Amino acid sequence: MGIDELYPPDRLIAAQRATAAAGLDALLLTPGSDLRYLTGYDAHAGERLTCLVLPAEGEPTLVVPRLERPAAEASPAPATGVRIVDHVDGTDPYPLVVAALDGPVAAVGLADRMWAEQVLGLRAALPDAAQRLAGEVLRELRIRKSPAEVAALAEAGAAIDEVHLRMGEWLRPGRTEAEVATDIAAAIRAVGHVTVDFVIVAAGPNGASPHHGTSDRPIGVGEPVVVDIGGTMASGYRSDCTRTYVAGGSAPADFLDYYAVLCDAQRAAVAAVRPGITGAAADDAARAPIAGAGYGAAFLHRTGHGIGLDGHEEPYLVAGNDRPLEAGMAFSIEPGIYLAGRHGARIEDIVVCTTDGVQRLNTTPTELIAL
């Protein structure tokens, strides 16, 4: 897929229309996924101000530090129709934002994860403008992926699958979680990711902590090991996939019992995905079999999260989310069972809701993998 397909100019037009419809005069977006979504520019986040000024009407302007102007000009941003202006070190960049607005404004939408010092700087520069979250506008544009975005996510999914298929090269008894993670991280980069976002290698009792990370604890014979890995591709789109392994020997009998339940629950949740089902109902599809087998209290987190330019974004598959799924929405299906002090397991695939069902973007087996 071409960069122009991933970051088309009409996104800016759609965002301007949505900004006006939301009662905002402009969006002000500092480095992050929203800025990249609209312009393709993967801007450096730092103390020097970079800010896309997107008025509801008029010309979009990208304010950048002068030393970063070459990077901005080399990005897809100019092809989207964005005008670039720069500021030099030692000068105040906020008047450039005000000038780009070209008139008084009553309300602006700020990037949801803007640094506090920039929020306060914009408040001082625009004292009469109410500040709201740009996510109110952009969430609805980003939540349904285009065919090019789905293709980018599929590329990321295939790449991380390659890493899981090589796990037998690294994961074995006697090696520490951290040693295994180092090898995995190198492989994540080798298959095309430009950054490694996370590597969880959680063996034995550490597997009972969903966000364990790694440690210097050696992996024991027959221990279940949860491996949750992901990264960002050059496209900006992300991978995230979890498989559970057994490192040599035989897994504990109680683990084998609940892993079979987990496997059935994950498949049931994937099969339940279709347009019209709510996020809460998809969550329940995974949760019901686990609760029915007596492990409900050991399923500690939501069933899934959206994915795209962010690792976690809308939609969320969680109790209370009554928004129906729609074609183009991409998210994880990742139920888990965690028994404190003993072991745990999780199975995670990225899927896309299609017009008539679901497409799995991770295609490696979900059965327990003995190495």
Side-chain angles (χ1 to χ4, degrees), residues 11-304:
R11 279 188 183 167
L12 285 168
I13 298 170
Q16 287 181 300
R17 290 171 179 165
T19 298
L24 294 171
D25 297 298
L27 300 183
L28 304 177
L29 304 177
T30 46
S33 57
D34 284 337
L35 173 60
R36 189 168 190 180
Y37 176 78
L38 292 178
T39 68
Y41 180 35
D42 184 19
H44 170 72
E47 74 281 4
R48 298 177 176 92
L49 181 70
T50 293
C51 184
L52 174 65
V53 182
L54 184 67
E57 295 183 8
E59 184 180 30
T61 300
L62 182 60
V63 176
V64 300
R66 179 162 295 176
L67 76 168
E68 294 173 12
R69 181 166 188 145
E73 291 178 335
S75 79
T80 67
V82 169
R83 176 177 67 104
I84 297 175
V85 300
D86 61 49
H87 57 92
V88 299
D89 282 357
T91 62
D92 182 0
Y94 291 96
L96 296 176
V97 174
V98 176
L101 290 168
D102 195 25
V105 295
V108 294
L110 305 186
D112 288 15
R113 298 171 189 174
M114 183 181 288
W115 289 10
E117 65 182 7
Q118 295 163 347
V119 173
L120 296 177
L122 290 167
R123 182 175 295 171
L126 300 165
D128 298 325
Q131 294 180 335
R132 288 163 48 191
L133 291 177
E136 298 174 20
V137 173
L138 296 177
R139 186 177 300 116
E140 287 303 310
L141 299 182
R142 291 182 54 181
I143 199 169
R144 288 169 295 274
K145 270 53 181 180
S146 69
E149 289 179 285
V150 171
L153 286 168
E155 180 184 39
I160 211 68
D161 281 353
E162 288 186 43
V163 180
H164 273 294
L165 289 171
R166 295 181 58 194
M167 205 58 58
E169 299 176 28
W170 315 303
L171 202 164
R172 54 184 177 269
R175 301 198 76 204
T176 68
E177 295 171 344
E179 288 171 339
V180 174
T182 297
D183 291 332
I184 291 172
I188 289 173
R189 292 187 179 91
V191 296
H193 296 81
V194 294
T195 61
V196 178
D197 296 336
F198 55 89
V199 177
I200 293 174
V201 180
N206 290 337
S209 174
H211 284 176
H212 162 70
T214 63
S215 75
D216 290 329
R217 179 185 180 278
I219 297 167
V221 175
E223 281 191 331
V225 186
V226 179
V227 179
D228 184 356
I229 54 178
T232 302
M233 302 290 283
S235 64
Y237 288 78
R238 304 195 183 212
S239 65
D240 186 357
C241 183
T242 308
R243 293 291 184 263
T244 301
Y245 301 87
V246 175
S250 299
D254 60 340
F255 174 83
L256 294 174
D257 289 342
Y258 73 73
Y259 191 85
V261 173
L262 180 65
C263 204
D264 289 343
Q266 203 264 353
R267 290 171 179 165
V270 171
V273 173
R274 63 185 183 279
I277 188 175
T278 66
D283 178 75
D284 188 62
R287 204 166 296 278
I290 294 173
Y295 296 103
F299 184 1
L300 305 177
H301 51 73
R302 64 197 174 205
T303 291

